[in-house]
């Protein structure tokens, strides 16, 4: 048997890649087995029956159990007598969903459906993805997170709290599934643009993993949402008697990092091959944790790396929309408002691409192309004359790379735009309205098609709205936002096209590719190639019209394309451990590995 990373004839074109030798269906990982996800689509063998089947959301078919299944699973008489196929179930749940009057009530309805029948939940989600993505994820998930302790109905995922120190290696065995392909973990310290929400941050991993399944095709029973409850500094939550998290201020310093280290050790001891996605960790914890674990386990930070990838994809696509080439990235002048984990992460991804294109002589030259502002203003030279007070908090090493020594420190955004004349304006500040009319109109003076990306989530925290961007640029903007905005009807009757530059385009495919390839590491090249893959998906006609990305309804196809390319990279870089059948084509392997929400026959056997 040959592992894929030992194959010598692996071409760059993943569509033509064939593999030389086969596994069968299983690989052994330590004390448990990893099953080929393609086997899930044939039959499911279980060791329990009766009412437990009806109450298990991964197994329940509701009214769709056949007469034969009802008999062999001992549930005859426990469900209404008439068998109804999934199509009729979808009709019922969609009618009920449509009767919900607010986005939050729709969120609660969908959560209840997921808790009783995950197959039906994902079928509904995939058939109405464009409509429902904004309910299960941003922007509605922001409100749901703020109110999580009030709308709590049923537990989902795992909570590791400060009172569990010393017990985590035992706790992981409380999770009922031996296979976990993807974990999304948060400490709730920086949820979207909403700040510290403590244990309420659990809604974010749940929403992310719903997209991993619906878009990325990861199996529902192989995902695990996790909260690391190290306390909260949100006094409003601490004072709320309904708050479900630990009622003390956040752990910090060595105490915090030792807590996370114990959790990583516990998780990897049971699931050594799982992909860990760090989500909504505040700066600088986000960077510190990524730096510590990226070469020790299969992990990445969504806010730093995945957001960077989709933003880079948007900029590369915008180059094509302006009649340029992707290799012209090094000639862009980019202003980024936001110097936290997401802002710096996005800029680092852009720098990586400039260097990879050989469009700059050094990384230092690439840094000169990007101008970063934090809440005080430009990261500039504090020694130049200024009426601003000296910063009380020093910049860290990564932030310091973006200091512009020829410009004074803390210049305002409007001053920077006037000085730099940027072609691209990025917002990752979480500060609504920071892209003012003066700023946008100033930028529009210098660019035929100004690229304006207010990326903060939810939409209430966007740096500007789509309507504002188009109005202030006379309809010339190339616009993308983190949360969805509707297209804008311009005064001349034309349509200003909006794009959602959200990492929901990137992380599902990355997870699919890593899961299929069984990659041991998540490499920088994977994110760069993800960006290039997504940037190439819009047609020339769409680009001319200002459409930079495929629609949200096409997230599954995006994930399949990205997953295939990520697999390709994993094999080329020698981090893939999967062994696949002789003669298989990579695109077919990825396609057939992706989960489809279909009812499969259920068979009971004694243990």
């Amino acid at each position: 048997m040959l592992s894929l990373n030992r194959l010598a004839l692996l071409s760059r074109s993943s569509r033509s890649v064939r593999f030389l030798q086969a596994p069968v269906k299983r690989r052994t990982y330590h004390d448990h087995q990893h099953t080929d996800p393609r086997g899930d689509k044939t039959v499911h063998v279980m060791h329990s029956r009766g009412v437990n089947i009806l109450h298990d959301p991964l197994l329940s078919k509701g009214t769709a159990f056949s007469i034969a299944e009802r008999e062999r699973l001992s549930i005859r008489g426990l469900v209404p007598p008439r068998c109804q196929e999934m199509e009729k179930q979808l009709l019922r749940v969609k009618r009920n969903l449509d009767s919900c009057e607010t986005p939050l009530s729709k969120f609660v309805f969908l959560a209840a459906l997921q808790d009783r029948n995950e197959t039906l939940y994902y079928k509904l989600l995939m058939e109405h993805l464009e409509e429902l993505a904004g309910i299960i994820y941003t922007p509605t998930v922001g409100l749901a997170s703020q109110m999580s302790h009030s709308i709590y109905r049923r537990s989902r995922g795992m909570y590791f709290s400060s009172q569990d120190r010393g017990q985590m290696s035992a706790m992981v065995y409380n999770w009922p599934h031996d296979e976990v392909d993807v974990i999304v973990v948060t400490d709730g310290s920086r949820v979207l643009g909403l700040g510290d929400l403590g244990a309420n941050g659990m809604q974010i991993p749940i929403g992310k993993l719903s997209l991993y399944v619906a878009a990325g095709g990861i199996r529902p029973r192989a995902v695990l949402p996790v909260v690391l409850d190290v306390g909260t500094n949100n006094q409003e939550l601490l004072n709320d008697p309904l708050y479900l998290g630990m009622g003390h201020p956040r752990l910090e310093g060595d105490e915090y990092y030792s807590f996370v280290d114990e959790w990583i050790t516990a998780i990897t001891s049971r699931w050594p091959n799982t992909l860990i996605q760090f989500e909504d960790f505040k700066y600088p914890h986000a960077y510190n944790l990524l730096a510590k674990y990226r070469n020790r386990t299969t992990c990445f930070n969504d806010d730093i790396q995945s957001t960077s990838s989709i933003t880079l994809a948007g900029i590369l696509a915008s180059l094509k929309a302006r009649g340029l080439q992707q290799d012209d990235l090094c000639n862009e002048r980019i202003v980024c408002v936001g110097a936290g984990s997401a802002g710096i992460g996005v800029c680092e991804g852009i720098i990586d691409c400039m260097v990879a294109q050989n469009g700059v002589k050094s990384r230092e030259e690439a840094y000169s192309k990007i101008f970063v502002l934090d809440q005080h203003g430009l990261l500039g030279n504090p020694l130049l004359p200024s009426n601003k007070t000296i910063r009380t908090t020093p910049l860290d090493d990564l932030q310091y790379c973006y200091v512009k020594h020829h410009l004074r420190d803390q210049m305002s955004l409007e001053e920077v735009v006037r000085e730099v004349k940027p072609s691209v304006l990025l917002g990752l500040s979480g500060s609504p309205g920071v892209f003012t009319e003066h700023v946008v109109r100033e930028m529009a003076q210098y660019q035929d098609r100004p690229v304006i990306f207010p990326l903060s989530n939810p939409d209430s925290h966007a740096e500007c709205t789509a309507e504002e961007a188009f109005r202030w640029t006379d309809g010339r903007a190339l616009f993308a936002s983190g949360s969805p905005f509707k297209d804008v009807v311009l005064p001349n009757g034309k349509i200003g096209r909006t794009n959602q530059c959200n990492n929901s385009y990137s992380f599902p495919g990355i997870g699919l590719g890593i899961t299929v390839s069984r990659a041991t590491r998540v490499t920088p090249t994977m994110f760069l190639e993800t960006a290039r893959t997504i940037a190439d998906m819009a047609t020339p006609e769409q680009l001319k019209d200002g459409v930079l990305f495929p629609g949200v309804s096409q997230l599954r196809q995006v994930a399949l394309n990205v997953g295939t390319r990520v697999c390709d990279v994993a094999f080329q870089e020698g981090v893939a451990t999967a062994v696949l059948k002789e003669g298989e084509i990579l695109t077919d392997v990825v396609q057939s590995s992706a989960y489809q929400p279909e009812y499969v026959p259920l068979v009971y056997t004694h243990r």
Side-chain angles (χ1 to χ4, degrees):
M1 303 288 287
L2 289 175
S3 64
L4 292 175
N5 56 331
R6 295 177 59 193
L7 296 178
L9 301 177
L10 187 62
S11 72
R12 180 174 176 82
S13 175
S14 59
R15 295 184 182 276
S16 62
V17 174
R18 291 182 179 271
F19 301 109
L20 306 181
Q21 219 149 353
V24 253
K25 285 193 175 180
R26 296 178 180 265
R27 291 186 66 221
T28 299
Y29 288 141
H30 292 252
D31 60 342
H32 68 277
Q33 290 181 316
H34 176 79
T35 57
D36 187 329
R38 289 168 288 182
D40 283 4
K41 302 175 183 179
T42 54
V43 66
H44 190 87
V45 179
M46 67 199 67
H47 305 294
S48 64
R49 57 183 173 176
V51 71
N52 290 338
I53 301 297
L54 300 179
H55 294 163
D56 187 333
L58 291 169
L59 300 177
S60 180
K61 301 181 182 181
T63 59
F65 287 104
S66 68
I67 294 298
E69 283 180 319
R70 297 177 189 210
E71 191 66 46
R72 66 175 177 259
L73 298 176
S74 301
I75 58 173
R76 192 163 188 164
L78 300 183
V79 292
R82 186 172 182 177
C83 300
Q84 283 192 328
E85 63 275 17
M86 186 181 285
E87 286 70 22
K88 289 188 173 66
Q89 293 178 318
L90 285 170
L91 177 63
R92 179 183 297 111
V93 296
K94 188 60 168 68
R95 281 181 179 175
N96 290 332
L97 177 65
D98 290 342
S99 69
C100 297
E101 296 182 352
T102 66
L104 184 62
S105 64
K106 292 178 186 287
F107 179 95
V108 172
F109 177 88
L110 289 171
L113 176 61
Q114 186 180 17
D115 285 340
R116 68 176 183 270
N117 186 334
E118 292 211 32
T119 307
L120 186 60
Y121 168 79
Y122 284 112
K123 188 71 170 180
L124 177 71
L125 185 56
M126 289 178 64
E127 290 199 356
H128 303 276
L129 192 55
E130 189 154 11
E131 174 188 351
L132 300 182
I135 301 296
I136 65 163
Y137 196 55
T138 182
T140 306
V141 74
L143 178 59
S145 296
Q146 291 174 305
M147 301 186 64
S148 182
H149 57 294
S150 298
I151 62 176
Y152 177 85
R153 298 292 186 276
R154 177 175 174 174
S155 184
R156 177 171 289 272
M158 289 195 74
Y159 297 80
F160 295 82
S161 73
S162 54
Q163 65 186 3
D164 299 320
R165 284 175 286 187
Q167 303 298 319
M168 295 184 200
S169 290
M171 286 173 60
V172 293
Y173 288 93
N174 293 338
W175 189 249
H177 304 294
D178 283 334
E179 292 182 51
V180 173
D181 289 333
V182 181
I183 293 172
V184 177
V185 57
T186 185
D187 67 356
S189 58
R190 191 205 62 84
V191 175
L192 303 176
L194 303 172
D196 182 354
L197 296 183
N200 282 8
M202 175 59 92
Q203 299 298 342
I204 301 297
I206 292 173
K208 289 279 186 180
L209 288 167
S210 287
L211 290 174
Y212 262 115
V213 176
I218 306 298
R219 297 170 295 170
R221 64 182 175 88
V223 300
L224 173 57
V226 171
V227 159
L228 304 182
D229 187 358
V230 295
T232 179
N233 295 335
N234 186 324
Q235 198 60 46
E236 184 177 346
L237 290 178
L238 291 174
N239 293 338
D240 193 324
L242 296 182
Y243 178 59
L244 293 165
M246 297 300 293
H248 60 72
R250 286 188 168 274
L251 303 181
E252 295 291 350
D254 291 344
E255 196 173 17
Y256 172 84
Y257 289 109
S258 66
F259 177 95
V260 178
D261 199 58
E262 181 184 347
W263 179 79
I264 289 284
T265 300
I267 288 294
T268 54
S269 68
R270 184 176 182 195
W271 301 294
N273 302 286
T274 191
L275 169 64
I276 299 172
Q277 174 179 311
F278 292 108
E279 183 70 35
D280 287 348
F281 285 75
K282 71 178 182 179
Y283 193 86
H285 291 338
Y287 270 100
N288 293 341
L289 294 175
L290 180 62
K292 183 174 183 179
Y293 297 112
R294 68 193 309 170
N295 294 318
R296 291 173 48 183
T297 188
T298 311
C299 69
F300 72 97
N301 183 290
D302 187 47
D303 306 291
I304 296 172
Q305 295 167 288
S306 186
T307 301
S308 172
S309 185
I310 187 59
T311 305
L312 175 61
I315 295 173
L316 294 178
S318 80
L319 286 166
K320 297 164 67 177
R322 289 174 279 162
L324 303 172
Q325 302 297 317
Q326 290 189 11
D327 287 346
D328 291 317
L329 177 65
C330 61
N331 297 321
E332 295 288 87
R333 296 182 304 280
I334 300 170
V335 169
C336 177
V337 183
S341 57
I344 296 298
V346 163
C347 294
E348 287 293 302
I350 297 169
I351 298 293
D352 288 343
C353 187
M354 288 182 180
V355 173
Q357 291 176 344
N358 295 315
V360 291
K361 295 178 182 178
S362 65
R363 196 170 183 88
E364 289 67 30
E365 182 183 349
Y367 281 123
S368 71
K369 310 287 185 178
I370 302 178
F371 300 76
V372 176
L373 294 83
D374 64 6
Q375 69 270 31
H376 304 295
L378 178 72
L379 305 188
N381 188 345
L383 300 180
L384 294 179
S386 172
N387 58 2
K388 303 288 187 179
T389 58
I390 300 296
R391 296 174 184 271
T392 56
T393 303
L395 303 179
D396 64 26
D397 291 343
L398 274 174
Q399 292 170 327
Y400 189 78
C401 293
Y402 295 91
V403 169
K404 298 298 175 282
H405 296 282
H406 65 290
L407 297 175
R408 71 178 188 278
D409 194 34
Q410 303 180 56
M411 288 175 63
S412 71
L413 177 57
E414 188 173 353
E415 290 173 321
V416 172
V417 168
R418 188 178 301 115
E419 176 73 26
V420 174
K421 301 176 177 56
S423 53
V424 178
L425 183 59
L426 305 176
L428 296 116
S429 66
S431 300
V434 73
F435 291 176
T436 65
E437 181 174 359
H438 289 299
V439 165
V440 175
R441 288 194 181 278
E442 182 72 28
M443 178 186 183
Q445 290 184 52
Y446 313 115
Q447 304 297 333
D448 290 334
R449 302 209 72 183
V451 179
I452 301 176
F453 288 7
L455 300 178
S456 293
N457 291 313
D459 53 352
S460 60
H461 284 63
E463 286 77 9
C464 72
T465 68
E467 190 277 332
E468 290 169 340
F470 284 113
R471 175 156 48 89
W472 297 336
T473 62
D474 301 320
R476 294 183 286 118
L478 289 168
F479 179 89
S481 56
S483 291
F485 283 94
K486 293 181 179 179
D487 289 341
V488 176
V489 179
L490 304 175
N492 60 7
K494 293 184 178 180
I495 303 297
R497 300 296 182 185
T498 63
N499 299 274
Q500 188 176 0
C501 184
N502 190 284
N503 46 25
S504 58
Y505 279 92
S506 50
F507 69 78
I510 293 169
L512 177 62
I514 290 168
T515 298
V516 173
S517 67
R518 291 286 128 194
T520 58
R521 295 293 180 269
V522 187
T523 69
T525 308
M526 292 176 181
F527 294 100
L528 178 57
E529 291 303 313
T530 293
R532 288 171 168 164
T533 299
I534 298 172
D536 285 337
M537 291 191 69
T539 66
E541 293 75 19
Q542 289 175 319
L543 292 169
K544 184 179 179 181
D545 203 29
V547 177
L548 305 178
F549 304 113
V552 173
S553 61
Q554 296 177 265
L555 282 181
R556 172 57 72 97
Q557 187 57 54
V558 173
L560 292 173
N561 289 6
V562 169
T564 302
R565 187 68 189 108
V566 168
C567 275
D568 200 353
V569 171
F571 304 143
Q572 290 175 1
E573 296 190 328
V575 297
T577 62
V579 184
L580 303 178
K581 293 180 181 178
E582 181 178 357
E584 284 189 312
I585 298 175
L586 184 54
T587 49
D588 295 339
V589 174
V590 174
Q591 176 87 37
S592 62
S593 297
Y595 165 78
Q596 295 292 341
E598 300 167 351
Y599 292 137
V600 298
L602 303 180
V603 177
Y604 168 77
T605 63
H606 293 284
R607 288 187 182 276

